[in-house]
Short mmCIF file of all heavy atoms in Angstrom, two decimals:
data_model
loop_
_atom_site.label_atom_id
_atom_site.label_comp_id
_atom_site.label_asym_id
_atom_site.label_seq_id
_atom_site.Cartn_x
_atom_site.Cartn_y
_atom_site.Cartn_z
N PHE A 2 3.71 -46.41 38.63
CA PHE A 2 4.59 -46.46 39.76
C PHE A 2 4.53 -47.84 40.38
O PHE A 2 3.47 -48.31 40.79
CB PHE A 2 4.19 -45.37 40.75
CG PHE A 2 4.95 -45.41 42.05
CD1 PHE A 2 6.32 -45.23 42.06
CD2 PHE A 2 4.29 -45.61 43.22
CE1 PHE A 2 7.00 -45.25 43.25
CE2 PHE A 2 4.96 -45.63 44.41
CZ PHE A 2 6.33 -45.44 44.43
N LEU A 3 5.62 -48.50 40.44
CA LEU A 3 5.66 -49.88 40.90
C LEU A 3 6.18 -50.02 42.32
O LEU A 3 6.63 -51.10 42.71
CB LEU A 3 6.53 -50.72 39.95
CG LEU A 3 6.07 -50.73 38.50
CD1 LEU A 3 7.08 -51.47 37.63
CD2 LEU A 3 4.70 -51.33 38.37
N GLY A 4 6.08 -48.98 43.11
CA GLY A 4 6.56 -49.03 44.48
C GLY A 4 5.75 -49.99 45.34
O GLY A 4 4.68 -50.47 44.94
N ASP A 5 6.27 -50.26 46.53
CA ASP A 5 5.54 -51.14 47.44
C ASP A 5 4.41 -50.37 48.13
O ASP A 5 4.24 -49.17 47.92
CB ASP A 5 6.49 -51.79 48.46
CG ASP A 5 7.20 -50.78 49.34
OD1 ASP A 5 6.63 -49.71 49.63
OD2 ASP A 5 8.33 -51.06 49.75
N VAL A 6 3.65 -51.07 48.95
CA VAL A 6 2.48 -50.47 49.59
C VAL A 6 2.87 -49.27 50.44
O VAL A 6 2.19 -48.24 50.43
CB VAL A 6 1.73 -51.53 50.44
CG1 VAL A 6 0.61 -50.90 51.24
CG2 VAL A 6 1.20 -52.63 49.54
N ALA A 7 3.96 -49.38 51.18
CA ALA A 7 4.41 -48.27 52.02
C ALA A 7 4.76 -47.04 51.18
O ALA A 7 4.41 -45.92 51.54
CB ALA A 7 5.61 -48.70 52.86
N GLN A 8 5.42 -47.25 50.05
CA GLN A 8 5.78 -46.12 49.18
C GLN A 8 4.53 -45.51 48.56
O GLN A 8 4.40 -44.29 48.48
CB GLN A 8 6.74 -46.59 48.09
CG GLN A 8 8.11 -46.95 48.61
CD GLN A 8 8.97 -47.61 47.55
OE1 GLN A 8 8.49 -48.41 46.75
NE2 GLN A 8 10.26 -47.27 47.54
N LYS A 9 3.61 -46.34 48.11
CA LYS A 9 2.39 -45.84 47.49
C LYS A 9 1.55 -45.05 48.48
O LYS A 9 0.85 -44.11 48.09
CB LYS A 9 1.59 -46.99 46.89
CG LYS A 9 2.25 -47.56 45.65
CD LYS A 9 1.44 -48.69 45.06
CE LYS A 9 2.12 -49.24 43.82
NZ LYS A 9 1.37 -50.29 43.19
N SER A 10 1.60 -45.40 49.77
CA SER A 10 0.82 -44.68 50.77
C SER A 10 1.32 -43.25 50.97
O SER A 10 0.62 -42.42 51.53
CB SER A 10 0.83 -45.43 52.10
OG SER A 10 2.11 -45.33 52.71
N LEU A 11 2.52 -42.95 50.51
CA LEU A 11 3.08 -41.61 50.63
C LEU A 11 2.58 -40.65 49.55
O LEU A 11 2.78 -39.44 49.65
CB LEU A 11 4.61 -41.68 50.60
CG LEU A 11 5.26 -42.49 51.72
CD1 LEU A 11 6.76 -42.62 51.47
CD2 LEU A 11 4.99 -41.86 53.07
N ILE A 12 1.95 -41.17 48.53
CA ILE A 12 1.45 -40.33 47.43
C ILE A 12 0.11 -39.75 47.84
O ILE A 12 -0.82 -40.46 48.19
CB ILE A 12 1.32 -41.14 46.13
CG1 ILE A 12 2.69 -41.63 45.70
CG2 ILE A 12 0.67 -40.28 45.04
CD1 ILE A 12 2.66 -42.57 44.51
N SER A 13 0.00 -38.43 47.79
CA SER A 13 -1.24 -37.79 48.20
C SER A 13 -1.93 -37.06 47.06
O SER A 13 -2.98 -36.46 47.25
CB SER A 13 -0.97 -36.81 49.34
OG SER A 13 -0.09 -35.80 48.93
N GLY A 14 -1.38 -37.11 45.87
CA GLY A 14 -2.01 -36.41 44.77
C GLY A 14 -1.27 -36.64 43.48
O GLY A 14 -0.34 -37.43 43.41
N ALA A 15 -1.70 -35.94 42.45
CA ALA A 15 -1.08 -36.04 41.13
C ALA A 15 -1.20 -34.68 40.46
O ALA A 15 -2.00 -33.85 40.86
CB ALA A 15 -1.77 -37.12 40.30
N GLU A 16 -0.43 -34.50 39.42
CA GLU A 16 -0.43 -33.23 38.71
C GLU A 16 -0.31 -33.47 37.22
O GLU A 16 0.43 -34.35 36.78
CB GLU A 16 0.75 -32.38 39.19
CG GLU A 16 0.87 -31.05 38.51
CD GLU A 16 2.03 -30.23 39.04
OE1 GLU A 16 2.34 -30.33 40.23
OE2 GLU A 16 2.65 -29.50 38.24
N ALA A 17 -1.03 -32.70 36.46
CA ALA A 17 -0.93 -32.74 35.00
C ALA A 17 -0.62 -31.32 34.53
O ALA A 17 -1.38 -30.40 34.80
CB ALA A 17 -2.23 -33.23 34.38
N ALA A 18 0.50 -31.15 33.89
CA ALA A 18 0.90 -29.83 33.38
C ALA A 18 0.55 -29.73 31.91
O ALA A 18 0.49 -30.72 31.20
CB ALA A 18 2.39 -29.64 33.58
N MET A 19 0.29 -28.50 31.46
CA MET A 19 0.02 -28.28 30.05
C MET A 19 0.70 -26.98 29.63
O MET A 19 0.57 -25.97 30.31
CB MET A 19 -1.47 -28.17 29.77
CG MET A 19 -1.71 -28.34 28.29
SD MET A 19 -3.16 -27.60 27.58
CE MET A 19 -2.88 -25.89 27.76
N TRP A 20 1.44 -27.03 28.55
CA TRP A 20 2.05 -25.83 28.02
C TRP A 20 2.18 -26.00 26.51
O TRP A 20 2.27 -27.10 26.00
CB TRP A 20 3.40 -25.55 28.65
CG TRP A 20 4.40 -26.61 28.43
CD1 TRP A 20 5.29 -26.72 27.40
CD2 TRP A 20 4.61 -27.78 29.23
NE1 TRP A 20 6.04 -27.85 27.51
CE2 TRP A 20 5.64 -28.53 28.63
CE3 TRP A 20 4.02 -28.26 30.40
CZ2 TRP A 20 6.09 -29.72 29.15
CZ3 TRP A 20 4.48 -29.45 30.91
CH2 TRP A 20 5.51 -30.16 30.31
N SER A 21 2.12 -24.90 25.82
CA SER A 21 2.25 -24.94 24.37
C SER A 21 2.25 -23.52 23.84
O SER A 21 1.63 -22.63 24.41
CB SER A 21 1.08 -25.70 23.75
OG SER A 21 1.08 -25.56 22.34
N GLU A 22 2.93 -23.31 22.75
CA GLU A 22 2.87 -22.00 22.13
C GLU A 22 1.56 -21.78 21.39
O GLU A 22 1.26 -20.69 20.95
CB GLU A 22 4.05 -21.78 21.18
CG GLU A 22 4.03 -22.65 19.97
CD GLU A 22 5.09 -23.75 20.00
OE1 GLU A 22 5.60 -24.09 21.06
OE2 GLU A 22 5.39 -24.25 18.92
N TYR A 23 0.75 -22.84 21.26
CA TYR A 23 -0.52 -22.73 20.54
C TYR A 23 -1.71 -22.58 21.47
O TYR A 23 -2.85 -22.65 21.04
CB TYR A 23 -0.73 -23.97 19.67
CG TYR A 23 0.40 -24.14 18.67
CD1 TYR A 23 1.29 -25.18 18.78
CD2 TYR A 23 0.57 -23.24 17.63
CE1 TYR A 23 2.33 -25.34 17.89
CE2 TYR A 23 1.62 -23.37 16.73
CZ TYR A 23 2.49 -24.43 16.86
OH TYR A 23 3.53 -24.57 15.98
N VAL A 24 -1.48 -22.37 22.75
CA VAL A 24 -2.57 -22.19 23.71
C VAL A 24 -2.58 -20.75 24.18
O VAL A 24 -1.56 -20.20 24.58
CB VAL A 24 -2.42 -23.14 24.92
CG1 VAL A 24 -3.48 -22.86 25.96
CG2 VAL A 24 -2.49 -24.58 24.48
N ASP A 25 -3.74 -20.14 24.09
CA ASP A 25 -3.92 -18.79 24.62
C ASP A 25 -5.32 -18.71 25.22
O ASP A 25 -6.00 -19.73 25.35
CB ASP A 25 -3.69 -17.72 23.54
CG ASP A 25 -4.65 -17.84 22.36
OD1 ASP A 25 -5.73 -18.44 22.50
OD2 ASP A 25 -4.31 -17.32 21.28
N GLU A 26 -5.74 -17.52 25.60
CA GLU A 26 -7.04 -17.39 26.26
C GLU A 26 -8.22 -17.80 25.39
O GLU A 26 -9.28 -18.13 25.89
CB GLU A 26 -7.24 -15.96 26.78
CG GLU A 26 -7.32 -14.88 25.72
CD GLU A 26 -5.96 -14.37 25.24
OE1 GLU A 26 -4.93 -14.75 25.81
OE2 GLU A 26 -5.94 -13.60 24.27
N SER A 27 -8.04 -17.86 24.08
CA SER A 27 -9.15 -18.23 23.20
C SER A 27 -9.36 -19.74 23.10
O SER A 27 -10.44 -20.19 22.72
CB SER A 27 -8.93 -17.67 21.79
OG SER A 27 -7.84 -18.34 21.16
N ASN A 28 -8.35 -20.55 23.45
CA ASN A 28 -8.51 -22.00 23.32
C ASN A 28 -8.06 -22.79 24.55
O ASN A 28 -7.97 -24.01 24.50
CB ASN A 28 -7.80 -22.51 22.06
CG ASN A 28 -6.30 -22.33 22.13
OD1 ASN A 28 -5.75 -21.85 23.11
ND2 ASN A 28 -5.63 -22.70 21.05
N LEU A 29 -7.76 -22.08 25.64
CA LEU A 29 -7.25 -22.74 26.84
C LEU A 29 -8.19 -23.84 27.34
O LEU A 29 -7.78 -24.97 27.55
CB LEU A 29 -7.01 -21.72 27.95
CG LEU A 29 -6.63 -22.32 29.30
CD1 LEU A 29 -5.25 -22.96 29.22
CD2 LEU A 29 -6.68 -21.27 30.38
N HIS A 30 -9.45 -23.52 27.53
CA HIS A 30 -10.39 -24.50 28.10
C HIS A 30 -10.58 -25.70 27.18
O HIS A 30 -10.63 -26.84 27.66
CB HIS A 30 -11.74 -23.84 28.42
CG HIS A 30 -11.64 -22.85 29.53
ND1 HIS A 30 -11.44 -23.21 30.83
CD2 HIS A 30 -11.67 -21.50 29.52
CE1 HIS A 30 -11.37 -22.14 31.59
NE2 HIS A 30 -11.50 -21.08 30.81
N ALA A 31 -10.65 -25.46 25.90
CA ALA A 31 -10.83 -26.56 24.95
C ALA A 31 -9.62 -27.49 24.91
O ALA A 31 -9.75 -28.68 24.66
CB ALA A 31 -11.11 -26.00 23.55
N ARG A 32 -8.45 -26.97 25.17
CA ARG A 32 -7.23 -27.79 25.17
C ARG A 32 -6.96 -28.43 26.52
O ARG A 32 -6.52 -29.57 26.61
CB ARG A 32 -6.01 -26.93 24.80
CG ARG A 32 -6.10 -26.29 23.44
CD ARG A 32 -5.44 -27.16 22.41
NE ARG A 32 -5.60 -26.56 21.09
CZ ARG A 32 -4.61 -26.31 20.28
NH1 ARG A 32 -3.38 -26.61 20.62
NH2 ARG A 32 -4.84 -25.79 19.11
N LEU A 33 -7.20 -27.67 27.59
CA LEU A 33 -6.81 -28.12 28.92
C LEU A 33 -7.71 -29.21 29.48
O LEU A 33 -7.22 -30.26 29.92
CB LEU A 33 -6.80 -26.92 29.88
CG LEU A 33 -6.57 -27.23 31.35
CD1 LEU A 33 -5.18 -27.80 31.55
CD2 LEU A 33 -6.78 -25.98 32.17
N TRP A 34 -9.01 -29.01 29.51
CA TRP A 34 -9.89 -29.90 30.26
C TRP A 34 -10.02 -31.30 29.68
O TRP A 34 -10.04 -32.26 30.45
CB TRP A 34 -11.24 -29.24 30.51
CG TRP A 34 -11.04 -28.06 31.42
CD1 TRP A 34 -11.25 -26.75 31.11
CD2 TRP A 34 -10.51 -28.08 32.74
NE1 TRP A 34 -10.88 -25.96 32.18
CE2 TRP A 34 -10.43 -26.76 33.19
CE3 TRP A 34 -10.09 -29.09 33.60
CZ2 TRP A 34 -9.97 -26.42 34.46
CZ3 TRP A 34 -9.63 -28.75 34.86
CH2 TRP A 34 -9.58 -27.43 35.27
N PRO A 35 -10.07 -31.50 28.38
CA PRO A 35 -10.07 -32.89 27.90
C PRO A 35 -8.78 -33.63 28.29
O PRO A 35 -8.82 -34.80 28.68
CB PRO A 35 -10.19 -32.74 26.38
CG PRO A 35 -10.88 -31.44 26.20
CD PRO A 35 -10.34 -30.55 27.28
N ARG A 36 -7.66 -32.95 28.22
CA ARG A 36 -6.39 -33.59 28.59
C ARG A 36 -6.31 -33.84 30.10
O ARG A 36 -5.84 -34.88 30.55
CB ARG A 36 -5.23 -32.72 28.13
CG ARG A 36 -5.08 -32.73 26.62
CD ARG A 36 -4.18 -31.57 26.16
NE ARG A 36 -3.93 -31.62 24.74
CZ ARG A 36 -4.77 -31.18 23.81
NH1 ARG A 36 -5.93 -30.66 24.15
NH2 ARG A 36 -4.46 -31.26 22.53
N ALA A 37 -6.79 -32.88 30.89
CA ALA A 37 -6.80 -33.06 32.34
C ALA A 37 -7.74 -34.19 32.74
O ALA A 37 -7.45 -34.96 33.66
CB ALA A 37 -7.21 -31.76 33.03
N SER A 38 -8.84 -34.34 32.03
CA SER A 38 -9.77 -35.44 32.31
C SER A 38 -9.11 -36.79 32.04
O SER A 38 -9.26 -37.73 32.83
CB SER A 38 -11.02 -35.32 31.43
OG SER A 38 -11.70 -34.13 31.70
N ALA A 39 -8.38 -36.88 30.95
CA ALA A 39 -7.68 -38.13 30.63
C ALA A 39 -6.61 -38.43 31.68
O ALA A 39 -6.44 -39.57 32.10
CB ALA A 39 -7.08 -38.06 29.24
N ALA A 40 -5.89 -37.40 32.10
CA ALA A 40 -4.86 -37.60 33.12
C ALA A 40 -5.50 -38.05 34.43
O ALA A 40 -5.01 -38.98 35.08
CB ALA A 40 -4.07 -36.31 33.34
N ALA A 41 -6.58 -37.41 34.83
CA ALA A 41 -7.27 -37.80 36.06
C ALA A 41 -7.77 -39.24 35.99
O ALA A 41 -7.68 -39.99 36.96
CB ALA A 41 -8.44 -36.85 36.33
N GLU A 42 -8.26 -39.63 34.84
CA GLU A 42 -8.71 -41.02 34.65
C GLU A 42 -7.56 -41.97 34.92
O GLU A 42 -7.71 -42.98 35.61
CB GLU A 42 -9.26 -41.19 33.23
CG GLU A 42 -9.66 -42.58 32.88
CD GLU A 42 -10.85 -43.10 33.67
OE1 GLU A 42 -11.75 -42.32 34.00
OE2 GLU A 42 -10.87 -44.32 33.97
N ARG A 43 -6.41 -41.66 34.41
CA ARG A 43 -5.25 -42.54 34.60
C ARG A 43 -4.74 -42.50 36.04
O ARG A 43 -4.40 -43.51 36.63
CB ARG A 43 -4.14 -42.14 33.63
CG ARG A 43 -2.96 -43.04 33.68
CD ARG A 43 -3.36 -44.48 33.27
NE ARG A 43 -2.40 -45.41 33.79
CZ ARG A 43 -2.60 -46.22 34.83
NH1 ARG A 43 -3.74 -46.21 35.46
NH2 ARG A 43 -1.67 -47.02 35.23
N PHE A 44 -4.72 -41.30 36.63
CA PHE A 44 -4.20 -41.15 37.99
C PHE A 44 -5.07 -41.88 39.01
O PHE A 44 -4.56 -42.48 39.95
CB PHE A 44 -4.12 -39.68 38.40
CG PHE A 44 -3.10 -38.87 37.65
CD1 PHE A 44 -3.34 -37.54 37.38
CD2 PHE A 44 -1.90 -39.42 37.23
CE1 PHE A 44 -2.40 -36.77 36.72
CE2 PHE A 44 -0.95 -38.66 36.56
CZ PHE A 44 -1.22 -37.33 36.31
N TRP A 45 -6.38 -41.79 38.86
CA TRP A 45 -7.27 -42.20 39.94
C TRP A 45 -8.04 -43.47 39.65
O TRP A 45 -8.82 -43.92 40.50
CB TRP A 45 -8.23 -41.07 40.30
CG TRP A 45 -7.46 -39.84 40.65
CD1 TRP A 45 -7.47 -38.66 39.98
CD2 TRP A 45 -6.53 -39.68 41.73
NE1 TRP A 45 -6.61 -37.78 40.58
CE2 TRP A 45 -6.02 -38.38 41.65
CE3 TRP A 45 -6.07 -40.51 42.74
CZ2 TRP A 45 -5.08 -37.89 42.55
CZ3 TRP A 45 -5.13 -40.01 43.64
CH2 TRP A 45 -4.65 -38.73 43.54
N SER A 46 -7.86 -44.07 38.52
CA SER A 46 -8.58 -45.30 38.21
C SER A 46 -7.80 -46.52 38.70
O SER A 46 -6.69 -46.41 39.19
CB SER A 46 -8.82 -45.42 36.70
OG SER A 46 -9.70 -44.40 36.31
N SER A 47 -8.40 -47.67 38.50
CA SER A 47 -7.80 -48.91 39.01
C SER A 47 -6.40 -49.16 38.44
O SER A 47 -5.96 -48.51 37.50
CB SER A 47 -8.71 -50.08 38.68
OG SER A 47 -8.88 -50.17 37.28
N ALA A 48 -5.75 -50.17 38.98
CA ALA A 48 -4.38 -50.50 38.60
C ALA A 48 -4.29 -50.88 37.13
O ALA A 48 -5.30 -51.15 36.47
CB ALA A 48 -3.87 -51.64 39.46
N LEU A 49 -3.08 -50.95 36.64
CA LEU A 49 -2.85 -51.34 35.26
C LEU A 49 -3.41 -52.73 34.99
O LEU A 49 -3.29 -53.63 35.83
CB LEU A 49 -1.36 -51.33 34.94
CG LEU A 49 -0.70 -49.96 34.88
CD1 LEU A 49 0.80 -50.12 34.76
CD2 LEU A 49 -1.24 -49.15 33.74
N PRO A 50 -4.00 -52.94 33.83
CA PRO A 50 -4.53 -54.26 33.49
C PRO A 50 -3.42 -55.29 33.34
O PRO A 50 -2.30 -54.97 32.96
CB PRO A 50 -5.25 -54.03 32.16
CG PRO A 50 -4.69 -52.77 31.62
CD PRO A 50 -4.21 -51.95 32.78
N THR A 51 -3.76 -56.54 33.67
CA THR A 51 -2.76 -57.61 33.62
C THR A 51 -2.92 -58.51 32.40
O THR A 51 -2.11 -59.40 32.18
CB THR A 51 -2.87 -58.47 34.89
OG1 THR A 51 -4.22 -58.95 35.01
CG2 THR A 51 -2.51 -57.65 36.13
N SER A 52 -3.95 -58.30 31.61
CA SER A 52 -4.15 -59.11 30.41
C SER A 52 -4.83 -58.26 29.34
O SER A 52 -5.36 -57.19 29.64
CB SER A 52 -5.03 -60.32 30.73
OG SER A 52 -6.35 -59.89 31.03
N ALA A 53 -4.83 -58.76 28.12
CA ALA A 53 -5.49 -58.03 27.02
C ALA A 53 -6.98 -57.91 27.27
O ALA A 53 -7.60 -56.87 26.99
CB ALA A 53 -5.22 -58.74 25.69
N GLU A 54 -7.58 -58.94 27.83
CA GLU A 54 -9.01 -58.91 28.12
C GLU A 54 -9.32 -57.84 29.18
O GLU A 54 -10.26 -57.07 29.05
CB GLU A 54 -9.47 -60.27 28.62
CG GLU A 54 -10.97 -60.36 28.88
CD GLU A 54 -11.38 -61.76 29.30
OE1 GLU A 54 -11.05 -62.71 28.58
OE2 GLU A 54 -12.03 -61.86 30.35
N LYS A 55 -8.51 -57.79 30.22
CA LYS A 55 -8.69 -56.80 31.28
C LYS A 55 -8.44 -55.40 30.73
O LYS A 55 -9.14 -54.45 31.07
CB LYS A 55 -7.74 -57.10 32.44
CG LYS A 55 -7.81 -56.12 33.57
CD LYS A 55 -9.11 -56.21 34.34
CE LYS A 55 -9.04 -55.27 35.55
NZ LYS A 55 -10.33 -54.95 36.08
N ALA A 56 -7.45 -55.26 29.85
CA ALA A 56 -7.17 -53.96 29.24
C ALA A 56 -8.37 -53.44 28.45
O ALA A 56 -8.72 -52.26 28.54
CB ALA A 56 -5.94 -54.04 28.34
N ALA A 57 -9.01 -54.31 27.71
CA ALA A 57 -10.19 -53.91 26.94
C ALA A 57 -11.31 -53.45 27.87
O ALA A 57 -12.00 -52.47 27.59
CB ALA A 57 -10.67 -55.07 26.07
N GLN A 58 -11.47 -54.13 28.98
CA GLN A 58 -12.49 -53.76 29.96
C GLN A 58 -12.17 -52.39 30.58
O GLN A 58 -13.05 -51.54 30.72
CB GLN A 58 -12.59 -54.81 31.05
CG GLN A 58 -13.61 -54.48 32.12
CD GLN A 58 -13.62 -55.50 33.25
OE1 GLN A 58 -12.94 -56.52 33.19
NE2 GLN A 58 -14.38 -55.22 34.28
N VAL A 59 -10.91 -52.18 30.94
CA VAL A 59 -10.48 -50.92 31.53
C VAL A 59 -10.72 -49.77 30.55
O VAL A 59 -11.22 -48.72 30.93
CB VAL A 59 -9.01 -50.99 31.97
CG1 VAL A 59 -8.45 -49.62 32.32
CG2 VAL A 59 -8.86 -51.94 33.15
N VAL A 60 -10.38 -49.98 29.29
CA VAL A 60 -10.58 -48.95 28.27
C VAL A 60 -12.06 -48.65 28.10
O VAL A 60 -12.48 -47.49 28.02
CB VAL A 60 -9.93 -49.36 26.93
CG1 VAL A 60 -10.36 -48.44 25.81
CG2 VAL A 60 -8.42 -49.36 27.07
N ALA A 61 -12.90 -49.67 28.06
CA ALA A 61 -14.34 -49.47 27.90
C ALA A 61 -14.91 -48.69 29.09
O ALA A 61 -15.74 -47.79 28.90
CB ALA A 61 -15.04 -50.82 27.76
N GLU A 62 -14.47 -49.02 30.28
CA GLU A 62 -14.95 -48.30 31.47
C GLU A 62 -14.49 -46.85 31.45
O GLU A 62 -15.25 -45.93 31.75
CB GLU A 62 -14.46 -49.00 32.74
CG GLU A 62 -15.10 -50.35 32.96
CD GLU A 62 -14.43 -51.15 34.06
OE1 GLU A 62 -13.43 -50.66 34.65
OE2 GLU A 62 -14.90 -52.27 34.33
N ALA A 63 -13.25 -46.63 31.07
CA ALA A 63 -12.71 -45.27 31.00
C ALA A 63 -13.44 -44.48 29.91
O ALA A 63 -13.77 -43.30 30.12
CB ALA A 63 -11.22 -45.30 30.71
N ARG A 64 -13.69 -45.09 28.79
CA ARG A 64 -14.39 -44.40 27.70
C ARG A 64 -15.76 -43.93 28.17
O ARG A 64 -16.17 -42.79 27.90
CB ARG A 64 -14.53 -45.31 26.48
CG ARG A 64 -15.24 -44.62 25.31
CD ARG A 64 -15.26 -45.47 24.08
NE ARG A 64 -13.90 -45.58 23.57
CZ ARG A 64 -13.31 -46.73 23.24
NH1 ARG A 64 -13.94 -47.86 23.37
NH2 ARG A 64 -12.08 -46.73 22.79
N TYR A 65 -16.47 -44.79 28.89
CA TYR A 65 -17.79 -44.42 29.40
C TYR A 65 -17.68 -43.20 30.34
O TYR A 65 -18.42 -42.23 30.19
CB TYR A 65 -18.43 -45.60 30.14
CG TYR A 65 -19.75 -45.24 30.79
CD1 TYR A 65 -20.91 -45.18 30.03
CD2 TYR A 65 -19.81 -44.93 32.14
CE1 TYR A 65 -22.12 -44.83 30.62
CE2 TYR A 65 -21.00 -44.59 32.73
CZ TYR A 65 -22.16 -44.54 31.97
OH TYR A 65 -23.34 -44.18 32.56
N ARG A 66 -16.73 -43.25 31.29
CA ARG A 66 -16.58 -42.13 32.23
C ARG A 66 -16.18 -40.85 31.51
O ARG A 66 -16.68 -39.76 31.83
CB ARG A 66 -15.56 -42.49 33.31
CG ARG A 66 -16.06 -43.49 34.31
CD ARG A 66 -15.11 -43.64 35.48
NE ARG A 66 -13.83 -44.22 35.10
CZ ARG A 66 -13.56 -45.53 35.11
NH1 ARG A 66 -14.49 -46.39 35.49
NH2 ARG A 66 -12.37 -45.96 34.76
N LEU A 67 -15.27 -40.95 30.54
CA LEU A 67 -14.84 -39.76 29.81
C LEU A 67 -15.96 -39.20 28.94
O LEU A 67 -16.10 -37.98 28.81
CB LEU A 67 -13.59 -40.05 28.99
CG LEU A 67 -12.32 -40.25 29.83
CD1 LEU A 67 -11.19 -40.77 28.96
CD2 LEU A 67 -11.92 -38.97 30.54
N ASP A 68 -16.77 -40.06 28.35
CA ASP A 68 -17.93 -39.59 27.58
C ASP A 68 -18.91 -38.85 28.48
O ASP A 68 -19.44 -37.80 28.12
CB ASP A 68 -18.64 -40.75 26.88
CG ASP A 68 -17.89 -41.26 25.67
OD1 ASP A 68 -16.95 -40.57 25.20
OD2 ASP A 68 -18.24 -42.35 25.18
N GLU A 69 -19.17 -39.41 29.66
CA GLU A 69 -20.06 -38.75 30.62
C GLU A 69 -19.49 -37.39 31.03
O GLU A 69 -20.21 -36.39 31.12
CB GLU A 69 -20.26 -39.62 31.86
CG GLU A 69 -21.12 -40.84 31.62
CD GLU A 69 -22.55 -40.46 31.31
OE1 GLU A 69 -23.16 -39.69 32.07
OE2 GLU A 69 -23.07 -40.96 30.29
N HIS A 70 -18.20 -37.35 31.28
CA HIS A 70 -17.57 -36.09 31.69
C HIS A 70 -17.58 -35.09 30.54
O HIS A 70 -17.77 -33.89 30.77
CB HIS A 70 -16.15 -36.34 32.19
CG HIS A 70 -15.57 -35.14 32.85
ND1 HIS A 70 -16.15 -34.51 33.92
CD2 HIS A 70 -14.45 -34.43 32.56
CE1 HIS A 70 -15.42 -33.46 34.27
NE2 HIS A 70 -14.39 -33.40 33.46
N HIS A 71 -17.41 -35.55 29.33
CA HIS A 71 -17.49 -34.67 28.16
C HIS A 71 -18.85 -33.97 28.13
O HIS A 71 -18.93 -32.76 27.90
CB HIS A 71 -17.26 -35.47 26.87
CG HIS A 71 -17.49 -34.68 25.64
ND1 HIS A 71 -16.58 -33.76 25.16
CD2 HIS A 71 -18.54 -34.63 24.79
CE1 HIS A 71 -17.05 -33.21 24.06
NE2 HIS A 71 -18.24 -33.74 23.81
N CYS A 72 -19.91 -34.73 28.39
CA CYS A 72 -21.25 -34.13 28.41
C CYS A 72 -21.37 -33.08 29.51
O CYS A 72 -21.96 -32.01 29.30
CB CYS A 72 -22.31 -35.21 28.59
SG CYS A 72 -22.49 -36.29 27.17
N ARG A 73 -20.81 -33.37 30.69
CA ARG A 73 -20.85 -32.38 31.77
C ARG A 73 -20.09 -31.12 31.37
O ARG A 73 -20.56 -30.00 31.65
CB ARG A 73 -20.23 -32.97 33.05
CG ARG A 73 -21.13 -33.93 33.77
CD ARG A 73 -20.60 -34.26 35.17
NE ARG A 73 -19.33 -34.95 35.14
CZ ARG A 73 -19.20 -36.28 35.08
NH1 ARG A 73 -20.26 -37.07 35.04
NH2 ARG A 73 -17.99 -36.83 35.08
N MET A 74 -18.95 -31.26 30.72
CA MET A 74 -18.19 -30.08 30.31
C MET A 74 -18.95 -29.28 29.26
O MET A 74 -18.90 -28.05 29.27
CB MET A 74 -16.81 -30.49 29.78
CG MET A 74 -15.88 -30.97 30.88
SD MET A 74 -14.17 -31.22 30.33
CE MET A 74 -14.33 -32.61 29.23
N ARG A 75 -19.63 -29.96 28.37
CA ARG A 75 -20.40 -29.24 27.33
C ARG A 75 -21.55 -28.46 27.93
O ARG A 75 -21.90 -27.39 27.45
CB ARG A 75 -20.92 -30.22 26.28
CG ARG A 75 -19.86 -30.96 25.51
CD ARG A 75 -19.26 -30.17 24.42
NE ARG A 75 -20.30 -29.78 23.49
CZ ARG A 75 -20.14 -28.89 22.54
NH1 ARG A 75 -19.00 -28.32 22.37
NH2 ARG A 75 -21.12 -28.60 21.73
N ARG A 76 -22.16 -29.02 28.98
CA ARG A 76 -23.26 -28.29 29.66
C ARG A 76 -22.71 -27.06 30.34
O ARG A 76 -23.29 -26.08 30.49
CB ARG A 76 -23.95 -29.19 30.69
CG ARG A 76 -24.89 -30.18 30.06
CD ARG A 76 -25.80 -30.84 31.08
NE ARG A 76 -25.09 -31.58 32.10
CZ ARG A 76 -24.79 -32.88 32.02
NH1 ARG A 76 -25.14 -33.56 30.98
NH2 ARG A 76 -24.15 -33.48 32.99
#
């Protein structure tokens, strides 16, 4: 979202929807939470990177957080 500061201040949350004919009660958690984690990472992490070097750093930081969260979900 490339809005100005005033427009961005109006955003109070985000939503990630998931639907599929291949999701039922037997695989819902395995399908939903990894995808919701990735969406949350994108929604709530820092701004888009401005260079390839910054992009690599952002990806490395996100990978670390997602790996940590994966361990929490497995526990």
